[in-house]
Every structure is written in C-alpha cells, then in structure tokens.
Amino acid sequence: MEATSEAAPLLSGLGNDAVQGSVDYKGRPVPRSRSGGWRSAFFIIGVEVTERFAYYGIASNLISYLTGPLHQSTAEAATNVNVWSGAASLLPLLGAFVADSYLGRYRTILLASLLYILGLGLLTLSASLSFLRPPPCVGLTICPSPSGFQKFFFFASLYLVALAQGGHKPCVQAFGADQFDAQDPTESKSKSSFFNWWYFGICAGTTVALAVVSYIQDNVSWGLGFGIPCTVMAVGLVIFLLGTRTYRYTSAGDKNPFVSLAQVFVAAARRTFQQDPALIGGKAGELHLEGSNSRFKFLDRVIAVSSDGTDCSDKSRWNVCTESQVEDAKTVLQLVPIWATCLIYAVVFAQMSTLFTKQGSTMDRSIGSNFRVPPATLQTFISLSIVFAIPIYDRILVPAARAFTRKPSGITMLQRIGTGMFFSALSMVMAAVVEKWRLDIARESGLVDDPSVTLPMSVWWLVPQYILFGVADVFTMVGLQEFFYDQVPDGLRSVGLALYLSIFGIGSFISGFMISAIDKVTRTHGDSWFATNLNRAHLDYFYWLLAGLSLIELGFYLFFTKSYVYKTALRSSTV
C-alpha cells in the first residue's frame, strides 16, 4: 500500500495541512486534518490487542499442553517453548525486511494476519481431532508418545503462527507510530504517549487471554481453547481493514535501505583489503562534518563528496559513500552493545510462561470449594501491574521528572530501560526465595516423592514476582520499543522494532540452551534442577543464577550507555 513519491508535487496544493513523506490509501498526498493521529492509531492498537490475545492464548499455557496432551517432560517442554518463542521473536527480522524493502507495512500486516488465522485454525484441528494427538495416559506412568505425523502437524501449525507473528509484530507497531508526524509539535508529543498506551492496550488483551483462555484450556477443552484465539484474530483483521481509509502510508523512497547499509559495509571492507582503490569524485577518509558521529571512524574512509552526487549505490563506484549513508551505518552499529546487554533480561522474561507456570501447578490454587485457578492465569498479574503502572508513569512520573530534567520524556529512553533491568533482577531474587520456601514446605509435609498431591502453600505467594516483573516491563519493554523505533534510520523502523523483538528471540534460545545444559549436567550428580518432580528439582538455584547474571548485565549496560550518542543529538547528548 505504501506508494511511490510520484504524488510529491501535489503536496503544495495542501499547504500546511500536508504531511511530508506520507500518502493515503490511493497514493495521494495526505491531509493532516483528515488522516492519521489517534483516529488511525486506535484501529491499529485494536488489531494489536486481538493479536496479543491470540498469541498469548497459545503461548501462555503452551507448556501445559506439551506436558499434558503431548506427554513431554518438564525440561523437554520448557526447551520446546523457549525455542518456539525464540523463533517467533527472531522471525520479525524477516518480516521487517520484507515490509521495508518490498511489500510495505500495510500489505505485510494483511498477509501476516491471514497466515495467523490459518496457523491458529490448524492448531485447533490438532487439539480437536483424536487422530492428530496421542491417546491419554493410563494412570500416572503409561503415557503413549505422539506419532511422528502428530508431532509434525502440531509443530508445523505452531511455527506457522510464529512465522505470521514475524510479519505482524514489527510492522503493526511501526505502522501505528507512522500515524504521528514527528515534525508537528502536537503529534510528536502524542507519538511519545503512543508507545505507553500501545503497551497498555496489548497488556489489556493479554490479561483477558490469560484469565479466560487458559481456564478454558485447563477445564473445558484444548480445541475450544485454541479455537477462540483463531476467532479473535479474524475479528482483528476486520478491525484493521476498517481503518484503511484513515491511515497514513509511508512513501517509498528511491533506495532500498538494506542495500544502502550493506553497501557501506562492503565499501569499508574493500577499502580495508585494497591498498589504493581508485576513488572517483572526491577524497575518502578525510571528510568529517560537524555533528557527525565520532565513533566507528573506520567507516569514514568510504565517505566521498563529488560534484555529481556520487555515492556507493552506484555499483561501479562501491568504494565511496555519502556521509548520510555512513552516518546511518554508524547509527545501527551503535545499537549493538545496547542490544547485547539486554539479552539476560529476555532470558528472565522467558521464565514467566514456563517455569513460573510449572511452579504454580504444584501449589494450592483453590478459591472456594469448586474453583481452581489455572496456573497460567497468574501471568495476568504482569499485565495488570502494567495496566495500573503505565497511567501512573505517563501521567505522574513523567511530568514530575520533566520538571527536574527539562526533557519532554522525563527521563531518557536508556535510563528507562536500565531501571526496568533493576526490577527484573529483584523479581528473580523474589522468585528464588519463594521457590526455596515451596521446597521446604514439600519436605516438611512429606510430599517430596508425591508430586501429584497439591502442596499446602497458596499459589498467591507467586504474585509478588509477577508484579515486580510487570513493573520492569513498564520501564524496559516500553523503553526498548521506543528506543529501537526512534534510533534507527527512518527507512528501517520496522527493522528497528524487529531488532527489539530479536532480543527476546535470542533470549529464549539462551534460556532453552541453559535449561537443557544445566539439566544434563545436574542429573549426572543427583536430581536435576529441572526434574519432572518439581519437589526434587532446584528451580531456586536457577533463579539465583539469573538474578546474578541480571546484575552483571546491568553493570555492562551502564558502561555502554555512558558513551551512547542519541541519533537526534549527535553533537552533545549523552545518557
């Protein structure tokens, strides 16, 4: 849907009401007064609410399905969940590449939504039809393994959902932020709030999914539990299409931003390995304009100025680039240390829907005499704490901080991210303390070797660790979203959000590797830290390990952020 720049000459007819760089759904110049802003953002937030409902309707209780109907062990199931969620968080890099280079965000969202509905529909069939799942267990020990075809059908459907999310997730948020013009003072302020209320909306959808869908999956049927997210996703597609006429679409530029970046690095490599490359039209390596990023100076050697505007997009002259191209490349490289020092945060995040849920399944979850809280439902406390904390942050903390710092956002994006990392470490400390107490109760009650019996410990003792991580999300998650949208070159904003999501993809892979490796090592010396009988496991040791790694990560993060230069203030801004 993103149009070419052929409509640009018509912008003058709209005067000050025109939005530079944007067109309507027919490719015409877009008037500010009749497009974009919150009117369009609400449609986009709406479709993201339904997508998060659908995603967490599957992801939040997936470990229960794998250890239940599919008869997998705790360690195997946790690893499979981590690998799947890791893939789901890395595939946005592919989706963003397709969107920013070829299809545009609107078409990518449309295609991804259709794939989403297909994947969820196949999952529903997998859970509903008896020949697509293994027979139920006989007693507590005889559990038939699923056939090769049953496993293939289920995981193929599951990874189709991951592929769909890869196209959906980075594009929807970037498309929503595109509805606000950064050059307009009023809309610029609204864009900053958009990221807060965006996260508020998706957490509301997640809360409903965790409260309703997980209960249906545990107490009614898995077929219905997977079918409801499929239906909700279809509703989300309808909502998205209803806003088509109101959206602002980014005008496609003349150059592919991926190719432009790649050519800078190719040119730098060629300059490194060639002694005296022939330069046409200017002196390379001597140009450094005021305000240029002084880091990564090795890229400056490919900068050239020429009277005919030569740059390295001319394939016959790939040894030289414009300063604009080089600055974009430096901007992307600057993100790498920030990206890397957030990975342990993502490892901690992976435990919310896996090990935390398994902990809760061993504890007293009764309310009254007839109702038992599904363990996955406790994840709603993350969303609820976010829902309550974001308005406080946006309406109270930001104005208060703004009075001291004189910054429109109150605190910088990097300060916000670091604050959340600290709360994340606290959540792991709390989780370790509660898990140690749970193991003590199992021992004192003589239930260590009877995992089928509910421990006399209320599941509500897990709530503080969920709340602490919810507070961490308000700072780190939202901060990362805004940071990776704002700090990449303008043509790569879908990719920026995909980079943010890839943190959680790599973090999930790291989590899966750690669990698998620790399981193999510890089982050779007695009970595994992740024994299927959680009363003999030592999840508390794992949580203490993550708490320590989180604090080390925070130290490295603070070191790298001290020298970070924001894209919009290269001359003097620092954290």
Side-chain angles (χ1 to χ4, degrees):
M1 183 67 67
E2 278 78 354
T4 66
S5 57
E6 295 176 357
L10 300 177
L11 284 171
S12 58
L14 293 176
N16 294 331
D17 197 38
V19 181
Q20 294 289 337
S22 296
V23 293
D24 67 7
Y25 70 104
K26 289 186 176 181
R28 301 170 302 192
V30 58
R32 188 188 315 278
S33 59
R34 297 198 302 275
S35 67
W38 286 109
R39 69 165 71 78
S40 298
F42 284 134
F43 283 110
I44 299 169
I45 290 175
V47 72
E48 183 63 5
V49 168
T50 63
E51 188 273 336
R52 289 293 85 185
F53 178 97
Y55 179 81
Y56 278 102
I58 303 300
S60 64
N61 212 19
L62 182 57
I63 193 169
S64 296
Y65 187 81
L66 295 179
T67 56
L70 286 192
H71 312 320
Q72 294 187 346
S73 68
T74 299
E76 182 184 10
T79 299
N80 278 330
V81 172
N82 284 324
V83 170
W84 174 75
S85 61
S89 297
L90 282 177
L91 283 168
L93 289 170
L94 174 62
F97 171 78
V98 171
D100 284 352
S101 299
Y102 300 105
L103 294 182
R105 289 166 193 152
Y106 178 88
R107 290 192 184 97
T108 304
I109 295 167
L110 190 60
L111 177 60
S113 297
L114 294 172
L115 288 176
Y116 230 128
I117 295 168
L118 176 60
L120 291 170
L122 293 175
L123 275 179
T124 303
L125 291 177
S126 176
S128 302
L129 302 179
S130 58
F131 73 89
L132 291 177
R133 65 178 190 272
C137 295
V138 178
L140 296 175
T141 56
I142 305 175
C143 295
S145 298
S147 67
F149 175 73
Q150 289 169 340
K151 290 179 69 174
F152 171 79
F153 190 91
F154 175 79
F155 282 104
S157 305
L158 192 64
Y159 276 89
L160 185 58
V161 172
L163 177 63
Q165 198 226 208
H168 199 281
K169 187 65 176 168
C171 297
V172 173
Q173 189 169 10
F175 192 55
D178 287 345
Q179 305 309 307
F180 301 93
D181 182 9
Q183 305 304 316
D184 180 80
T186 301
E187 291 194 16
S188 178
K189 185 178 293 186
S190 295
K191 178 181 282 190
S192 182
S193 288
F194 167 77
F195 286 96
N196 290 328
W197 293 106
W198 166 274
Y199 207 61
F200 177 92
I202 64 177
C203 287
T206 301
T207 300
V208 176
L210 294 171
V212 176
V213 177
S214 60
Y215 177 83
I216 291 172
Q217 291 168 345
D218 285 348
N219 297 280
V220 182
S221 80
W222 282 97
L224 183 61
F226 287 158
I228 291 174
C230 181
T231 303
V232 170
M233 192 65 218
V235 172
L237 176 57
V238 173
I239 292 173
F240 181 68
L241 292 173
L242 288 175
T244 297
R245 292 175 177 268
T246 75
Y247 299 145
R248 295 173 185 170
Y249 303 87
T250 303
S251 299
D254 297 329
K255 298 176 183 176
N256 186 316
F258 286 93
V259 173
S260 179
L261 282 179
Q263 287 170 337
V264 173
F265 295 119
V266 169
R270 293 181 65 174
R271 285 282 296 165
T272 299
F273 294 108
Q274 293 178 13
Q275 293 295 322
D276 255 326
L279 295 177
I280 302 176
K283 290 185 177 182
E286 296 182 5
L287 178 68
H288 191 73
L289 301 180
E290 183 183 5
S292 176
N293 192 335
S294 60
R295 303 181 70 186
F296 311 111
K297 289 186 176 181
F298 70 94
L299 292 178
D300 290 345
R301 68 185 67 186
V302 301
I303 299 173
V305 176
S306 65
S307 59
D308 63 352
T310 297
D311 64 26
C312 59
S313 62
D314 181 346
K315 294 184 179 180
S316 66
R317 302 173 177 181
W318 269 32
N319 286 329
V320 290
C321 304
T322 64
E323 176 145 359
S324 175
Q325 287 175 288
V326 172
E327 287 303 313
D328 282 351
K330 289 182 178 182
T331 297
V332 172
L333 282 180
Q334 246 200 153
L335 300 177
V336 174
I338 306 301
W339 181 92
T341 52
C342 291
L343 291 176
I344 297 301
Y345 179 88
V347 174
V348 173
F349 179 82
Q351 313 317 314
M352 305 300 123
S353 59
T354 53
L355 299 182
F356 280 21
T357 300
K358 290 301 293 181
Q359 273 181 283
S361 66
T362 69
M363 302 167 73
D364 182 10
R365 297 177 280 118
S366 59
I367 297 180
S369 57
N370 299 316
F371 183 78
R372 298 185 74 203
V373 177
T377 300
L378 266 69
Q379 294 174 59
T380 58
F381 285 97
I382 296 178
S383 300
L384 286 173
S385 60
I386 292 170
V387 167
F388 282 106
I390 280 182
I392 295 173
Y393 179 88
D394 193 68
R395 300 301 180 187
I396 298 176
L397 293 182
V398 169
R402 190 182 293 146
F404 290 97
T405 65
R406 306 299 180 188
K407 298 179 182 293
S409 58
I411 59 176
T412 67
M413 291 176 279
L414 291 175
Q415 288 170 341
R416 181 174 187 173
I417 294 167
T419 302
M421 287 182 175
F422 175 74
F423 279 106
S424 171
L426 285 184
S427 75
M428 282 294 97
V429 171
M430 178 63 71
V433 171
V434 172
E435 175 60 9
K436 178 62 168 61
W437 185 21
R438 190 191 70 83
L439 293 174
D440 289 342
I441 289 177
R443 195 174 301 110
E444 293 166 2
S445 304
L447 297 174
V448 170
D449 294 314
D450 198 353
S452 62
V453 176
T454 300
L455 296 179
M457 178 181 181
S458 173
V459 75
W460 304 117
W461 285 108
L462 296 178
V463 170
Q465 65 202 54
Y466 281 107
I467 291 177
L468 279 172
F469 200 82
V471 174
D473 268 6
V474 171
F475 287 92
T476 297
M477 278 283 209
V478 182
L480 283 171
Q481 290 170 17
E482 185 175 3
F483 178 77
F484 279 94
Y485 176 87
D486 184 75
Q487 293 298 296
V488 295
D490 293 347
L492 292 173
R493 280 175 170 163
S494 293
V495 176
L497 290 172
L499 284 172
Y500 142 72
L501 291 169
S502 72
I503 293 172
F504 297 90
I506 298 296
S508 291
F509 284 129
I510 294 173
S511 176
F513 172 78
M514 289 177 66
I515 290 172
S516 180
I518 292 171
D519 179 59
K520 288 180 181 179
V521 171
T522 55
R523 71 170 58 251
T524 62
H525 301 286
D527 292 318
S528 165
W529 285 12
F530 308 100
T532 300
N533 176 1
L534 287 189
N535 296 339
R536 284 198 168 276
H538 272 293
L539 298 184
D540 55 332
Y541 293 172
F542 186 59
Y543 294 155
W544 281 118
L545 174 63
L546 292 183
L549 291 175
S550 295
L551 292 175
I552 294 171
E553 172 196 52
L554 181 58
F556 278 106
Y557 173 84
L558 294 175
F559 172 79
F560 285 114
T561 56
K562 283 182 179 179
S563 59
Y564 186 85
V565 182
Y566 284 99
K567 184 183 76 172
T568 54
L570 285 173
R571 290 182 182 144
S572 59
S573 292
T574 58
V575 178

